[in-house]
Amino acid sequence: MVAKHRVCIIGSGNWGSAIAKIVGANAAKLPNFEDRVTMYVYEEMINGKKLTEIINETHENVKYLPGHQIPENVVAIPDVIEAAIDADILIFVIPHQFISKICSALLGKIKPTAVGISLIKGFDKKEGGGIELISHIISEQLRIPVSVLMGANLASEVADEMFCETTIGCKDKSMAPILRDMIQTSYFRVVVVEDVDTVECCGALKNIVACGAGFVDGLGLGDNTKAAVIRLGLMEMIKFVEIFFPGGKLSTFFESCGVADLITTCYGGRNRRVSEAFVKTGKTIEELEKEMLNGQKLQGPFTAEEVNYMLKSKNMEARFPLFTAIHRICIGEIKPADLIECIRNHPEHMTQANALAQEEEENEQLSCSLRSRL
């Protein structure tokens, strides 16, 4: 008899609801999954009615993913413990600043054999100036193994079933195909790699770079300048992982979780949109969140602050000038236009200039040597 996996989705924003659409449909047709999928929904009142009741009656998340049908086998539940208690697979897709509270509520209330997969893009601060990956926090607090899913996956386009790719980072070779089957569809293609930490770092760090891209758009500086921000941002992402989460593979940055997600977010994501409005309107990030995101949180400025917290504690801000400048713009320490000076004087340019000068010198020496022999 085939063992059937029970799935719980913890979170119901636009990304959580888009994933619920996929997971619900797959669970209903695949023999190794229980048909019923639970989804923890933070209870809200919408026009005098509970959001969970609306979802369960109309099979639509009218607040966060309007116009899209969620499969009928996905059941919205307002109590996270009730939603998760019998689950074999827990899909975490909530704003990263709420993860510790959720884990505290679930500790000792879930199956000891359960596994997690995090779709959460961000870090969390540690005492003493460090930061920690969200998957590590979940794993340590709930004492379960946790994989990650990151990719060029704008929720609205996934919900519209436009073709895209994603990356799952999973070290357990027996669990990897189960997670892949749970998520993959004809329009949502999954590649599984073992480099979990790099996959997760990409998902968090690209939101910082997307803020920089939004500042460029707000300043009206064009695609060439934005391309420079994206390239320099990718270089800082690679350097960050090399220093703080060593042992990963450079090839992971060329999966969907890396360069593809970076490009997508810098052109179409909400971090870019809000950052553009930040420049054009002069309003604060908090004001724009309320106006533009329908109750959702912007991850880029949070992540920039968390990264800067560690860089500052280790006296390494100068080694990551783009990340540092974006953080300082978000908190009002410098003006958005100052980002251009950061780009112009980025050490990556200086390094390349020095390398070119050295190459020219070596070529001249070789040429002199050859002439002397003739």
Side-chain angles (χ1 to χ4, degrees), residues 265-312:
T265 309
C266 286
Y267 277 89
R270 63 188 181 209
N271 287 284
R272 188 216 62 80
R273 274 193 302 118
V274 173
S275 296
E276 179 182 13
F278 175 80
V279 176
K280 289 183 174 179
T281 66
K283 295 178 180 179
T284 66
I285 295 291
E286 292 77 13
E287 289 172 326
L288 292 167
E289 274 184 334
K290 293 175 183 176
E291 290 180 15
M292 300 176 66
L293 299 184
N294 196 27
Q296 297 190 99
K297 288 293 182 181
L298 198 66
Q299 297 303 309
F302 270 114
T303 306
E305 195 275 331
E306 288 156 351
V307 166
N308 188 258
Y309 169 77
M310 183 163 74
L311 295 178
K312 193 169 187 177

Side-chain angles (χ1 to χ4, degrees), residues 8-45:
C8 169
I9 301 166
I10 299 175
S12 59
N14 62 345
W15 187 211
S17 298
I19 285 296
K21 182 179 175 183
I22 289 173
V23 172
N26 283 344
K29 69 183 181 183
L30 295 175
N32 55 335
F33 290 92
E34 286 285 353
D35 181 78
R36 184 175 184 264
V37 173
T38 56
M39 179 170 70
Y40 164 63
V41 176
Y42 178 77
E43 194 69 279
E44 301 177 67
M45 298 302 292

Side-chain angles (χ1 to χ4, degrees), residues 77-89:
I77 298 174
D79 184 297
V80 69
I81 296 171
E82 182 184 344
I85 196 165
D86 291 324
D88 301 295
I89 301 173

Side-chain angles (χ1 to χ4, degrees), residues 4-6 84-90 108-116 142-146 172 174-175 178-179:
K4 289 181 175 287
H5 302 281
R6 294 187 179 94
I85 196 165
D86 291 324
D88 301 295
I89 301 173
L90 300 166
K109 305 293 196 306
I110 60 172
K111 285 184 174 181
T113 55
V115 300
L142 295 181
R143 301 160 197 161
I144 61 172
V146 180
D172 184 344
S174 64
M175 198 66 207
I178 297 169
L179 297 178

Side-chain angles (χ1 to χ4, degrees), residues 41 57 59 88 98 154-155 188 212 285 298 311 351 357:
V41 176
E57 290 172 9
H59 309 293
D88 301 295
F98 302 130
L154 297 180
F188 195 68
I285 295 291
L298 198 66
L311 295 178
T351 301

Side-chain angles (χ1 to χ4, degrees), residues 65-93:
L65 199 69
H68 293 278
Q69 285 291 292
I70 295 172
E72 294 184 12
N73 59 315
V74 176
V75 181
I77 298 174
D79 184 297
V80 69
I81 296 171
E82 182 184 344
I85 196 165
D86 291 324
D88 301 295
I89 301 173
L90 300 166
I91 302 173
F92 293 88
V93 56

Side-chain angles (χ1 to χ4, degrees), residues 242-259:
E242 286 178 347
I243 293 173
F244 298 113
F245 298 93
K249 296 179 179 179
L250 183 62
S251 60
T252 304
F253 290 94
F254 297 95
E255 297 290 350
S256 181
C257 62
V259 65

Side-chain angles (χ1 to χ4, degrees), residues 92-332:
F92 293 88
V93 56
I94 57 175
H96 74 278
Q97 55 267 37
F98 302 130
I99 194 62
S100 291
K101 182 179 179 181
I102 289 292
C103 286
S104 295
L106 291 176
L107 181 60
K109 305 293 196 306
I110 60 172
K111 285 184 174 181
T113 55
V115 300
I117 180 167
S118 173
L119 281 60
I120 302 170
K121 298 179 177 180
F123 301 106
D124 197 36
K125 291 180 183 177
K126 290 197 297 187
E127 289 185 15
I131 59 175
E132 193 164 12
L133 295 176
I134 300 301
S135 67
H136 292 189
I137 294 171
I138 298 170
S139 182
E140 289 165 9
Q141 292 195 13
L142 295 181
R143 301 160 197 161
I144 61 172
V146 180
S147 300
V148 299
L149 180 149
M150 307 283 157
N153 309 140
L154 297 180
S156 59
E157 294 184 11
V158 174
D160 285 335
E161 301 186 9
M162 297 180 183
F163 181 84
C164 65
E165 302 171 317
T166 200
T167 310
I168 289 178
C170 178
K171 294 178 181 177
D172 184 344
K173 292 183 178 180
S174 64
M175 198 66 207
I178 297 169
L179 297 178
R180 181 200 61 212
D181 292 348
M182 177 182 73
I183 297 288
Q184 184 160 262
T185 71
S186 60
Y187 63 88
F188 195 68
R189 307 306 292 178
V190 177
V191 173
V192 183
V193 299
E194 294 183 11
D195 192 4
V196 181
D197 287 356
T198 303
V199 172
E200 186 167 3
C201 283
C202 285
L205 295 172
K206 56 92 184 181
N207 283 329
I208 303 176
V209 185
C211 290
F215 297 149
V216 168
D217 287 342
L219 293 165
L221 295 175
D223 286 338
N224 292 340
T225 306
K226 185 152 71 169
V229 168
I230 293 170
R231 189 189 75 82
L232 294 170
L234 178 61
M235 297 303 292
E236 291 197 11
M237 287 168 61
I238 293 170
K239 187 195 301 183
F240 185 91
V241 174
E242 286 178 347
I243 293 173
F244 298 113
F245 298 93
K249 296 179 179 179
L250 183 62
S251 60
T252 304
F253 290 94
F254 297 95
E255 297 290 350
S256 181
C257 62
V259 65
D261 196 10
L262 176 63
I263 292 169
T264 298
T265 309
C266 286
Y267 277 89
R270 63 188 181 209
N271 287 284
R272 188 216 62 80
R273 274 193 302 118
V274 173
S275 296
E276 179 182 13
F278 175 80
V279 176
K280 289 183 174 179
T281 66
K283 295 178 180 179
T284 66
I285 295 291
E286 292 77 13
E287 289 172 326
L288 292 167
E289 274 184 334
K290 293 175 183 176
E291 290 180 15
M292 300 176 66
L293 299 184
N294 196 27
Q296 297 190 99
K297 288 293 182 181
L298 198 66
Q299 297 303 309
F302 270 114
T303 306
E305 195 275 331
E306 288 156 351
V307 166
N308 188 258
Y309 169 77
M310 183 163 74
L311 295 178
K312 193 169 187 177
S313 73
K314 298 182 182 300
N315 198 27
M316 295 180 71
E317 288 177 292
R319 295 187 65 181
F320 296 87
L322 185 66
F323 288 173
T324 300
I326 290 168
H327 166 64
R328 294 182 68 197
I329 292 168
C330 287
I331 63 174

